[in-house]
Every structure is written in C-alpha cells, then in structure tokens.
C-alpha cells in the first residue's frame, strides 16, 4: 500500500490528468478527515488516492465502477478493509447499500466534496483554491445545478461522522489548499 505504488497504478489505469487530480484531492481530504476523527490516516488516505482507479475502465457502465477496482486491488494485495471502502463509495454498484462505518462515509462524502470545491475554484477569475472561501462553497452547496455531479446528499453524510457541514467544508478546503501546487489550482 505504498503511495508510489498507488500512484504508479493510477497512472496505468487513468489517462485523464483531471481524474488523477481528483484522486490526489481525495487523498488529502481523507488524511485530514482521519486526523480529525482519530482514524488510520495512512489507510484512509490510501483509499482516497486509489478509489477511482477503474473509472476509465468502466466508462459508460457506472454499475461496474469499483467492481473492476476490486479485482485490481485484490491482485495488488491491498487490504480488504480498503477494498470494501472503495466498493461502498459507488451507490450504483452497491444498489445504494447504506454506508455505516466512518471510513465508508468519509470516503464517499470526502471524494464527492472535492468535485464541488474544484468547481468553486474554476469559476473564479484566478481559478485558485486559495481564493475559494468556505462561505462560497456553502452557498454553492444549495445551488444544485452548480457542479450537479457532486451529489449533495452524499456530501451531507458528513453529519453522520459528527462533523457539521461548515466544518466539513473547512477541513476539505484546507486539505486541498495544502496541495494546490500538485493540483495546479
Ligand atoms: Fe471519486
């Protein structure tokens, strides 16, 4: 579960630079969430990093997304706990099975909010994460047409972690701002 190996695997299966950035953003958000919740930072961040490895493989078949990932990650010796979390982040593959554990909830909510935050940066004149204000992310949360792919009900699962939406936005935004140069934003 070394980071370099995960990056190498991601680069093998994902050609889109934006998807790689989404994975890096999810990694950083998951590390911060683990820190906040006293969970396993390495495990959570590794899950964030690798969670979308099969997105391009399963393009056009959303119900398969994470099932191909499962095969790859088993093959590569990733821990079953991580693979389970990866599987649980895609409702289309699980049939909407309810996420119960903090790890599963954090991955789904955490990876989803990265999309909203990136969209918030991209509409600004300088397109910089450092210019994004938590208040504008909260405002965009209510405008469902904005970054419609970032499903608000999944982001709202943060409350099941005992983290209020305002705090969740703050944690995710700070995490992503911390790697802004890697994200090129
Ligand atoms: Fe994702």
């Amino acid at each position: 579960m070394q980071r370099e190996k995960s990056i190498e695997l991601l680069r093998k299966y994902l050609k889109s630079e934006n998807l790689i950035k989404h994975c890096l953003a999810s990694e950083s958000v998951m590390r911060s969430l683990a820190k906040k919740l006293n969970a396993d930072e390495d495990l959570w961040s590794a899950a964030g990093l690798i969670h979308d490895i099969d997105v391009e493989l399963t393009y056009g078949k959303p119900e398969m997304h994470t099932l191909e990932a499962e095969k790859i990650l088993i093959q590569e010796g990733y821990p079953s706990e991580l693979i389970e979390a990866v599987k649980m982040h895609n409702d289309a593959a699980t049939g909407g099975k309810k996420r119960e554990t903090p790890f599963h909830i954090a991955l789904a909510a955490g990876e989803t909010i990265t999309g909203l935050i990136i969209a918030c940066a991209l509409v600004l004149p300088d397109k910089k994460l450092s210019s994004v204000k938590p208040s504008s992310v909260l405002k965009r949360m209510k405008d469902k047409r904005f970054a419609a792919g970032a499903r608000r009900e999944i982001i709202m699962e943060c409350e099941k972690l005992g983290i209020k939406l305002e705090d969740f936005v703050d944690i995710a935004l700070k995490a992503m701002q911390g790697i802004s140069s890697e994200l090129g934003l």
Side-chain angles (χ1 to χ4, degrees):
M1 228 177 50
Q2 285 158 2
R3 186 169 191 267
E4 297 71 40
K5 181 181 151 182
S6 291
I7 300 264
E8 207 177 289
L9 265 185
L10 278 181
R11 294 223 168 263
K12 178 173 169 195
Y13 288 100
L14 296 179
K15 299 302 160 210
S16 157
E17 248 349 277
N18 283 340
L19 272 173
I20 301 264
K21 285 177 184 175
H22 164 67
C23 292
L24 293 170
S26 302
E27 176 192 32
S28 72
V29 170
M30 281 299 277
R31 183 170 289 282
S32 293
L33 287 173
K35 198 172 279 172
K36 166 90 179 167
L37 298 171
N38 285 317
D40 184 334
E41 288 180 39
D42 290 338
L43 177 68
W44 283 33
S45 60
L49 182 60
I50 210 78
H51 79 284
D52 269 346
I53 190 161
D54 70 353
V55 163
E56 290 181 3
L57 274 180
T58 60
Y59 188 73
K61 292 175 284 183
E63 73 287 355
M64 293 299 292
H65 169 41
T66 67
L67 302 183
E68 291 299 326
E70 180 180 27
K71 290 183 204 160
I72 298 166
L73 298 177
I74 288 175
Q75 180 86 25
E76 298 291 337
Y78 281 74
S80 55
E81 205 184 348
L82 177 147
I83 297 171
E84 195 53 31
V86 167
K87 285 176 71 181
M88 285 299 293
H89 97 271
N90 180 23
D91 294 347
T94 62
K97 198 167 151 201
K98 224 170 136 219
R99 284 175 279 276
E100 309 275 3
T101 73
F103 186 20
H104 297 176
I105 294 166
L107 180 59
E111 75 105 1
T112 304
I113 200 169
T114 67
L116 179 64
I117 291 176
I118 288 179
C120 287
L122 293 178
V123 294
L124 296 176
D126 65 2
K127 300 189 188 335
K128 293 283 180 207
L129 280 169
S130 57
S131 304
V132 175
K133 292 193 200 80
S135 59
S136 63
V137 180
L138 288 168
K139 213 159 105 193
R140 297 294 194 181
M141 241 331 253
K142 294 190 194 127
D143 177 5
K144 301 260 160 77
R145 287 162 307 175
F146 180 83
R151 285 169 55 200
R152 307 307 199 259
E153 72 277 16
I154 296 182
I155 295 174
M156 287 311 297
E157 287 184 38
C158 68
E159 298 196 328
K160 294 192 202 163
L161 299 170
I163 302 176
K164 279 187 276 174
L165 179 64
E166 299 100 277
D167 296 333
F168 190 64
V169 165
D170 223 47
I171 291 167
L173 182 57
K174 283 204 179 85
M176 291 169 64
Q177 286 170 338
I179 57 158
S180 57
S181 57
E182 271 185 273
L183 298 178
L185 290 166

